[in-house]
């Protein structure tokens, strides 16, 4: 494993949102530690900045070009959140994006779809 990889264990609270929250805490702590080591930190300012990409483990065919385009669109459009979606002929096993006139209005887990 790359020595710069940070491993994060999610606590007992389930869900992707909680997993991201746990990971962001570790990333921020690592950024604060690096800044403190460089003596650039003052007070309790947050050091971590920039976009964070969250992917699921069942999307192995995402490539660098797709993720780069996602980040480009995210930055150019000034979005707080950007969701990458696809259309599948057989979406079994996946959650669904709910749209209203093209706008994303929700996400539904497969068991609820």
């Amino acid at each position: 494993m790359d020595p710069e990889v940070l491993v994060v264990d999610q606590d007992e609270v389930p869900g992707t949102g909680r997993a991201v929250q746990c990971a962001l805490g570790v990333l921020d702590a690592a950024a604060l530690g690096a800044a403190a080591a460089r003596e650039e930190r003052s007070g309790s300012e947050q050091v971590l900045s920039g976009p964070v990409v969250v992917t699921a483990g069942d999307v192995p065919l995402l490539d660098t070009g797709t993720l780069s385009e996602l980040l480009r669109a995210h930055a150019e459009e000034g979005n707080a959140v950007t969701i990458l979606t696809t259309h599948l002929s057989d979406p079994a096993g996946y959650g669904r994006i709910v749209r209203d006139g093209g706008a994303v209005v929700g996400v539904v887990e497969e068991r609820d779809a």
Side-chain angles (χ1 to χ4, degrees):
M1 185 171 7
D2 186 313
E4 293 187 25
V5 169
L6 299 172
V7 177
V8 180
D9 290 323
Q10 182 176 351
D11 57 22
E12 66 283 345
V13 179
T16 304
R18 179 60 181 163
V20 171
Q21 189 177 34
C22 291
L24 288 174
V26 170
L27 287 170
D28 198 42
L32 289 171
R38 292 189 310 267
E39 299 181 345
E40 295 174 3
R41 184 173 172 256
S42 63
S44 61
E45 73 184 51
Q46 184 177 0
V47 177
L48 183 63
S49 65
V52 174
V53 177
V54 178
T55 65
D58 57 359
V59 288
L61 299 179
L62 280 178
D63 60 21
T64 302
T66 300
L67 292 174
S68 294
E69 178 62 18
L70 175 77
L71 284 167
R72 184 203 59 73
H74 175 79
E76 278 186 10
E77 296 171 17
N79 296 334
V81 175
T82 302
I83 300 174
L84 178 66
T85 65
T86 190
H87 293 275
L88 299 172
S89 57
D90 179 12
Y94 293 96
R96 311 299 194 281
I97 299 295
V98 180
R99 296 177 187 273
D100 182 9
V104 174
V105 295
V107 179
V108 178
E109 296 293 332
E110 180 203 21
R111 68 180 172 269
D112 301 323

